[in-house]
Amino acid sequence: MRTPPPAAAAMPTAKPQRPASVQAPAAAAGQGAAGLTQPAWSGEIRGLRDELHALRQWVQSTVSSGAQAAGPVSSPMAERLQELGFSPSCAQALAVPGAKLPDALGAYLQRLDMPADPVAADGVYALVGPTGVGKTTTIAKLAARLVLRHGTSAVALITTDTYRIGGVEQLKIYGRILGVPVAVARDAKELEQHLQEFSDRRFVLIDTIGLSPRDARLAEQMQWLQGFGSRITRLLLINAGMGLGFYDELWKMYQHLPVAACILTKLDETPVFGAALQWLVEQRLALCFYTDGQRVPEDLHVPTLAKIVELLHDDTTAYHASPPAGHEPARANPGF
């Protein structure tokens, strides 16, 4: 008989091997307890997280430094001063803790030169300024003031505003009412002739053209006035309700004349004229008159520190709560 083969259980079997890629890495450095390697994109996640953290720190630092540079939060007085037209930096400087608004305004405006008796010296005065600022009406007010003081024989008027429709006629009407002569100058030669003609007059007032700063005719007339040198005193008229940027641009046109002093016009049309006063202080320009209406000569005034402070302080409520048209309270004429 043949001997049977060994049983299958007795035969040696090979132990299966685990793939290297899934062998337990517990002993490997930096491996987790789960025994699995980190995904390949996990490093990108950590990098992105670090970048976001750094960006957040940078934003926080920038916002913090910006707040420090901006300075302290505005006080109620500083906000009030900005409402009056003063720049934020100027308002912050004027808002002294514990001081009242009139006191702060008074301390600042002491730096503004306001002659007690402007246009007192004999001479030739030219009123210059942009269109619409009120030169013709203001020259009539000034002429009336001088006539009341010195008589009709002391005053003469010249206009170079031959471009505006009705400009010459308007000044001639004022001249007839005041009893003073009015001449028209179309160029520098005619202006010289009229100055010679009125050489016996104590005060000669020149009404100049008002045009856009970009108009070539305005530049031409500026050359006329510059050519007369110190023979003519130039008074620059500025609208009270404009901003610092407007005055800076305007000054580029007129600073070469040069300008002796300024007249602030149209105070009746705005309660906010702190910017004009700040600009005058910064440019060291004198304020010789201000106007607040169309009446001749009542609405031309010599400024004083107390009066300007009063106008600024009171107008914050007076103009914002103005009565209906036709019901305005009567104002006393200041006289001369």
Side-chain angles (χ1 to χ4, degrees):
M1 294 182 64
R2 298 177 63 180
T3 304
M11 296 181 65
T13 58
K15 187 176 181 180
Q17 299 294 321
R18 302 175 69 180
S21 60
V22 295
Q23 291 189 5
Q31 300 298 324
L36 297 176
T37 59
Q38 297 294 327
W41 38 262
S42 62
E44 297 179 6
I45 294 290
R46 284 196 301 271
L48 181 60
R49 182 181 60 193
D50 292 342
E51 289 181 9
L52 289 173
H53 179 69
L55 178 61
R56 181 170 56 190
Q57 288 183 327
W58 177 82
V59 170
Q60 292 174 343
S61 174
T62 302
V63 171
S64 176
S65 62
Q68 294 177 358
V73 177
S74 295
S75 65
M77 182 185 290
E79 293 177 356
R80 184 84 173 276
L81 288 164
Q82 289 185 59
E83 291 175 357
L84 293 176
F86 293 96
S87 68
S89 59
C90 183
Q92 289 284 2
L94 296 183
V96 179
K100 295 182 178 179
L101 180 61
D103 297 332
L105 291 171
Y108 179 70
L109 294 177
Q110 284 181 347
R111 300 162 57 187
L112 177 58
D113 182 17
M114 290 180 278
D117 191 12
V119 192
D122 299 3
V124 180
Y125 296 86
L127 275 61
V128 300
T131 183
V133 77
K135 290 188 297 297
T136 302
T137 306
T138 301
I139 206 170
K141 295 172 184 175
L142 182 54
R145 174 186 172 89
L146 294 171
V147 166
L148 289 175
R149 284 190 166 194
H150 307 286
T152 57
S153 62
V155 181
L157 304 177
I158 301 175
T159 180
T160 64
D161 189 1
T162 58
Y163 299 99
R164 183 169 58 95
I165 297 176
V168 172
E169 289 72 16
Q170 182 181 2
L171 193 63
K172 285 185 175 181
I173 291 172
Y174 284 131
R176 285 196 298 269
I177 294 173
L178 297 173
V180 299
V182 177
V184 180
R186 296 173 180 82
D187 52 35
K189 182 178 180 180
E190 288 190 359
L191 180 56
E192 175 64 43
Q193 292 173 352
H194 293 314
L195 290 178
Q196 293 294 331
E197 177 186 350
F198 296 139
S199 60
D200 60 332
R201 303 274 173 161
R202 294 181 58 184
F203 300 94
V204 178
L205 307 179
I206 303 174
D207 184 16
T208 63
I209 193 172
L211 292 171
S212 165
R214 296 178 178 85
D215 197 306
R217 293 172 295 179
L218 179 60
E220 179 184 1
Q221 194 161 115
M222 292 302 100
Q223 291 179 354
W224 298 3
L225 297 175
Q226 280 182 289
F228 286 92
S230 59
R231 294 174 57 191
I232 296 178
T233 301
R234 296 93 174 171
L235 304 177
L236 175 63
L237 277 67
I238 59 174
N239 189 321
M242 312 308 276
L244 287 171
F246 174 86
Y247 299 129
D248 288 337
E249 288 299 315
L250 182 67
W251 190 233
K252 293 178 182 178
M253 288 299 303
Y254 293 98
Q255 63 182 332
H256 304 295
L257 282 178
V259 170
C262 288
I263 298 176
L264 197 58
T265 67
K266 301 182 182 293
L267 263 70
D268 56 314
E269 298 181 9
T270 177
V272 180
F273 59 98
L277 297 174
Q278 179 182 338
W279 181 77
L280 289 171
V281 169
E282 293 176 352
Q283 295 295 336
R284 300 181 180 180
L285 287 168
L287 177 62
C288 57
F289 293 104
Y290 70 89
T291 72
D292 59 357
Q294 297 296 314
R295 295 179 302 172
V296 178
E298 292 90 346
D299 293 333
L300 177 73
H301 312 281
V302 177
T304 64
L305 178 61
K307 187 59 179 179
I308 293 298
V309 170
E310 178 188 347
L311 288 171
L312 273 174
H313 182 251
D314 291 348
D315 282 352
T316 55
T317 56
Y319 278 91
H320 289 298
S322 57
H327 296 80
E328 296 83 355
R331 294 181 300 174
N333 293 347
F336 298 110

